[in-house]
Amino acid sequence: MVSLPPSLQKQVSVMSMNLSAKLDELQRGDRQLETTVALCEIRTQLQELTKSVESCQSEVSEVKRDMVTIKQELDTVQQVKEEIEELREYVNRLEEHSHRRKLRLLEQGLTLFLSYAILAAVLGMLQFGYNTGVINAPEVNIENFMKDVYKDRYGEDISDDSVKTLYSVAVSIFAIGGMVGGFSGGTIANRFGRKGGLLLNNVLGIVGACLMGFTKLAESYEMLFFGRFIIGVNCGLNTSLVPMYISEIAPLNLRGGLGTVNQLAVTVGLLVSQVLGIEQILGTNEGWPVLLGLAICPAILQLLLLPVCPESPRYLLITKQWEEEARKALRRLRASNQVEEDIEEMRAEERAQQAESTISMTELICSPTLRAPLVIGVVMQLSQQLSGINAVFYYSTNLFTSSGLTDESAKFATIGIGAIMVCMTLVSIPLMDRTGRRTLHLYGLGGMFIFSIFITISFLIKEMIDWMSYISVVSTLCFVVFFAVGPGSIPWMITAELFSQGPRPAAMSIAVLVNWMANFLVGIGFPSMKSSLENYTFLPFSAFLAIFWIFTYKKVPETKNKTFEEILALFRHGNDRSSLRDSRLYGSMLNCVNALEGHIPPAESAALMVAEEKPHPDSCKALKKKPDQHQSRYIVTR
């Protein structure tokens, strides 16, 4: 039974009292009202009462409908709650599964075939190091050759300034070729693959080496310029393709150490070029063309070794969608048939960047999510080239000479700098995955900043204190040590780690282009800066090092032992280093979506967003539904 509303009860009471009064009056006959009039009034009152009762029944019916609707919504709320709890449990299980998968990835070791593939790939970086340093030692021999060719052509001697200009063209055109090669690296990587691009690139290496080797025979310094440009394009492509290939084939727990092998190959190439360039070997008027032409050796060796290696599994699976070929490549690289963990990680990465799978350089620059890692990659490249290491190489011979060494001993001391770089790069390989990229880079930049100040101080007071020149030599060596620990290798590696499969080629192209441009600017501008600043030459580099240290501390995340989708998640969470747990959860969510695809209803899949504390709008429609005019007096709370 539903009780009448208070207003209706009051109305009925009033009408009942009126009727009683009328009847009493009829009975007493005090006022002698006519019976007919009284009955009409009673009939009118009864009609009004009937209408009120009917209105009450209608309102009661509406209340009943409202109660039914509310009950249905409460049932829906309860169902959503149960659904959310079930999905929370499912997400927790998937997160635990993702954690176990990552632990298995971290247990992978270095196999023989993986070592072979890394060795074959880094020959491209050895080519880069060799051609960077090979032109410095035979400077006088090349200038003499240019003088002789000019006199034979025109019958007159060329001025020393013109010879210096021609030699600077031979040096700097290598960096211009590097810009061209580095910028086109992403296009080559996407079109021909990482391995395919490296193989094709060796054609440029062979052509460039032959042009440089036959320069004297052809009596054409223009051939030297063209050869240096071609070999520069070759090296620019190598600096883009090699780190990309290595980062994509390396296991998660070895990615840092194997990435450091890039810099090891560069330093070995530099050292080999310095050793072969001394006068006792090939640093002569007859030997310098052979010295330049030896650049053909890494190209031919890579052509022989690399075809046996597989293409990047990530390229095969994510870019080409060839899953079976990717599995075959992984089985060979891991020396195991158990490659499902790697496949799952790649699938998770694919889902993380699915919207960016065909990203161009313009889209990369304009993307809000990818802008932060792109800026970090560019600044990391600048921290390598603007650190002053090239200035040390240019200045070291004069520095050692001023400290009392003979010219020949100073050249051997410069070779010693190359040897120190090789040794320290070897030391940094195990540290890379133990200490972390960000930490090592901070140590490297900090040490370089301190010893750049020491170098400047020693320059200022070496004329007053004789032994201070030896302090400058020691400071220079320590400067090189800290460069090898951090800025020497990390920028090449971390740029490839900061991006997922889709935007990685475009990002590497932009970063490598910036690296080569900075290299070119330092090579062109350092002589003028040296003559202008004299003993204060290293102060601009000290300022740059301080800026790069602060930037690294504030903005660069640690990428050690993180999957590519976890690194991407860091930037989706605003690049907050404290959001590591969120990034791991984000990685498990990607695996969740991958695992659920085609296996659970879309409604349940959508509700997985609960893991990020973001309720899906479809799951909460019942909670958000606004009450209508008949429900205004009822409130539903969770």
Side-chain angles (χ1 to χ4, degrees):
M1 291 293 293
V2 179
S3 61
L4 296 178
S7 59
L8 186 58
Q9 289 179 353
K10 185 177 180 180
Q11 186 177 3
V12 171
S13 299
V14 171
M15 293 176 67
S16 177
M17 292 173 62
N18 291 336
L19 287 174
S20 299
K22 293 293 182 183
L23 291 174
D24 290 341
E25 289 178 1
L26 286 173
Q27 290 175 358
R28 289 195 304 268
D30 294 337
R31 299 184 181 179
Q32 299 179 352
L33 294 176
E34 294 182 2
T35 303
T36 305
V37 175
L39 290 175
C40 288
E41 290 183 4
I42 293 172
R43 187 178 297 109
T44 302
Q45 294 290 331
L46 288 174
Q47 289 175 352
E48 292 179 1
L49 179 61
T50 302
K51 291 180 181 178
S52 298
V53 171
E54 290 175 352
S55 175
C56 177
Q57 290 176 344
S58 175
E59 189 170 350
V60 168
S61 299
E62 291 180 0
V63 170
K64 287 182 178 180
R65 287 197 298 270
D66 290 347
M67 294 298 293
V68 171
T69 303
I70 292 171
K71 184 177 183 306
Q72 291 175 348
E73 297 212 1
L74 288 174
D75 292 341
T76 303
V77 169
Q78 185 62 32
Q79 184 180 359
V80 169
K81 285 183 177 180
E82 294 174 358
E83 217 173 86
I84 288 174
E85 291 302 322
E86 291 177 0
L87 291 173
R88 280 186 186 276
E89 294 177 3
Y90 192 73
V91 169
N92 290 335
R93 291 198 300 271
L94 285 173
E95 185 181 6
E96 184 180 352
H97 169 73
S98 177
H99 181 65
R100 288 198 301 267
R101 174 179 62 82
K102 185 173 178 180
L103 289 178
R104 288 193 293 270
L105 288 173
L106 291 173
E107 293 172 356
Q108 292 177 340
L110 183 66
T111 63
L112 181 62
F113 190 74
L114 178 61
S115 303
Y116 173 86
I118 297 292
L119 174 64
V122 298
L123 287 171
M125 297 302 284
L126 187 143
Q127 178 84 288
F128 166 59
Y130 183 85
N131 286 285
T132 299
V134 74
I135 197 71
N136 294 326
E139 177 179 354
V140 176
N141 309 109
I142 294 174
E143 289 179 349
N144 291 334
F145 162 72
M146 290 177 175
K147 291 178 181 178
D148 294 339
V149 171
Y150 189 89
K151 188 170 185 179
D152 290 341
R153 286 183 184 178
Y154 305 106
E156 59 183 19
D157 293 332
I158 187 173
S159 65
D160 290 341
D161 290 340
S162 298
V163 171
K164 291 291 184 183
T165 301
L166 289 176
Y167 179 76
S168 66
V169 170
V171 174
S172 59
I173 202 171
F174 172 72
I176 296 175
M179 294 181 208
V180 175
F183 190 71
S184 59
T187 303
I188 298 296
N190 280 333
R191 183 167 184 178
F192 301 103
R194 284 56 164 154
K195 171 191 167 183
L198 286 171
L199 288 173
L200 290 174
N201 190 32
N202 286 312
V203 176
L204 294 177
I206 293 172
V207 172
C210 290
L211 287 172
M212 293 188 297
F214 290 107
T215 293
K216 188 171 184 180
L217 187 63
E219 295 185 351
S220 170
Y221 48 75
E222 293 85 1
M223 185 180 290
L224 174 62
F225 299 156
F226 192 53
R228 285 282 292 174
F229 176 78
I230 295 297
I231 205 71
V233 176
N234 168 265
C235 291
L237 283 169
N238 280 327
T239 54
S240 179
L241 294 173
V242 174
M244 198 186 309
Y245 180 72
I246 291 178
S247 69
E248 291 181 6
I249 68 173
L252 179 63
N253 59 322
L254 300 177
R255 203 168 59 209
L258 294 180
T260 310
V261 177
N262 290 317
Q263 180 63 17
L264 177 63
V266 173
T267 56
V268 169
L270 282 168
L271 180 60
V272 170
S273 68
Q274 290 171 345
V275 171
L276 294 179
I278 62 176
E279 295 180 3
Q280 290 83 348
I281 303 180
L282 293 175
T284 62
N285 288 329
E286 293 76 21
W288 70 265
V290 178
L291 179 66
L292 297 181
L294 284 177
I296 198 174
C297 294
I300 291 178
L301 191 57
Q302 191 175 63
L303 273 178
L304 295 175
L305 297 180
L306 197 60
V308 184
C309 303
E311 181 56 86
S312 162
R314 291 182 183 276
Y315 172 77
L316 293 173
L317 180 64
I318 300 177
T319 304
K320 305 299 289 185
Q321 295 294 314
W322 294 344
E323 183 171 340
E324 191 54 39
E325 284 75 4
R327 290 179 184 277
K328 291 178 182 178
L330 282 170
R331 291 187 189 109
R332 296 179 67 191
L333 291 168
R334 305 292 185 258
S336 171
N337 291 326
Q338 304 300 321
V339 295
E340 291 307 314
E341 288 81 9
D342 294 272
I343 295 293
E344 283 185 38
E345 188 215 344
M346 293 178 194
R347 286 296 186 195
E349 179 187 352
E350 181 184 17
R351 299 303 293 261
Q353 55 84 47
Q354 194 169 19
E356 302 153 356
S357 57
T358 57
I359 193 167
S360 64
M361 291 186 188
T362 304
E363 292 169 334
L364 172 63
I365 295 172
C366 296
S367 171
T369 303
L370 299 175
R371 189 175 299 127
L374 180 63
V375 170
I376 290 174
V378 167
V379 174
M380 294 290 279
Q381 298 292 336
L382 291 175
S383 72
Q384 182 188 78
Q385 292 300 323
L386 300 183
S387 64
I389 190 64
N390 288 333
V392 168
F393 284 134
Y394 296 147
Y395 208 75
S396 59
T397 302
N398 292 334
L399 177 63
F400 295 143
T401 302
S402 65
S403 66
L405 299 178
T406 63
D407 291 343
E408 185 176 358
S409 298
K411 290 182 179 180
F412 281 106
T414 301
I415 294 175
I417 288 181
I420 288 175
M421 285 193 66
V422 172
C423 294
M424 289 309 301
T425 305
L426 284 171
V427 171
S428 68
I429 290 178
L431 293 177
M432 193 63 62
D433 284 307
R434 184 176 303 174
T435 307
R437 287 70 148 149
R438 177 176 176 272
T439 304
L440 278 183
H441 200 63
L442 287 172
Y443 279 132
L445 292 174
M448 293 177 75
F449 172 77
I450 292 171
F451 286 105
S452 67
I453 299 296
F454 284 170
I455 291 173
T456 301
I457 294 174
S458 65
F459 284 172
L460 292 173
I461 62 178
K462 68 180 178 181
E463 296 177 358
M464 296 181 290
I465 305 175
D466 294 338
W467 55 266
M468 187 56 66
S469 58
Y470 294 100
I471 298 296
S472 65
V473 173
V474 174
S475 298
T476 304
L477 295 177
C478 293
F479 187 90
V480 172
V481 165
F482 280 99
F483 174 80
V485 167
S489 58
I490 292 174
W492 297 115
M493 175 191 2
I494 200 169
T495 305
E497 289 184 331
L498 288 175
F499 295 91
S500 56
Q501 187 74 13
R504 187 179 296 130
M508 288 297 296
S509 296
I510 293 174
V512 170
L513 173 65
V514 170
N515 186 286
W516 280 95
M517 288 179 64
N519 189 352
F520 176 75
L521 292 175
V522 171
I524 291 294
F526 178 74
S528 300
M529 187 173 69
K530 177 183 172 184
S531 61
S532 301
L533 299 178
E534 296 181 350
N535 290 334
Y536 297 96
T537 301
F538 273 85
L539 280 184
F541 297 120
S542 301
F544 278 126
L545 287 167
I547 293 171
F548 293 139
W549 192 94
I550 294 172
F551 180 87
T552 301
Y553 182 79
K554 293 286 188 181
K555 297 295 183 181
V556 178
E558 181 55 72
T559 59
K560 180 185 73 170
N561 289 342
K562 288 190 179 71
T563 60
F564 287 108
E565 75 269 13
E566 286 176 350
I567 295 171
L568 179 62
L570 286 177
F571 294 103
R572 292 186 184 276
H573 286 82
N575 195 19
D576 181 4
R577 292 193 301 272
S578 65
S579 63
L580 174 59
R581 180 184 175 278
D582 292 336
S583 69
R584 286 175 178 166
L585 184 58
Y586 182 79
S588 71
M589 287 301 303
L590 295 172
N591 296 327
C592 170
V593 176
N594 187 34
L596 296 176
E597 186 180 15
H599 297 289
I600 66 173
E604 294 184 17
S605 177
L608 283 172
M609 294 183 69
V610 172
E612 290 188 274
E613 298 302 326
K614 297 178 182 178
H616 192 276
D618 291 340
S619 301
C620 301
K621 281 183 178 178
L623 301 179
K624 294 183 178 180
K625 185 177 180 181
K626 296 181 180 180
D628 57 25
Q629 59 181 353
H630 300 301
Q631 294 172 304
S632 58
R633 71 187 74 176
Y634 303 102
I635 301 174
V636 180
T637 58
R638 291 184 61 180

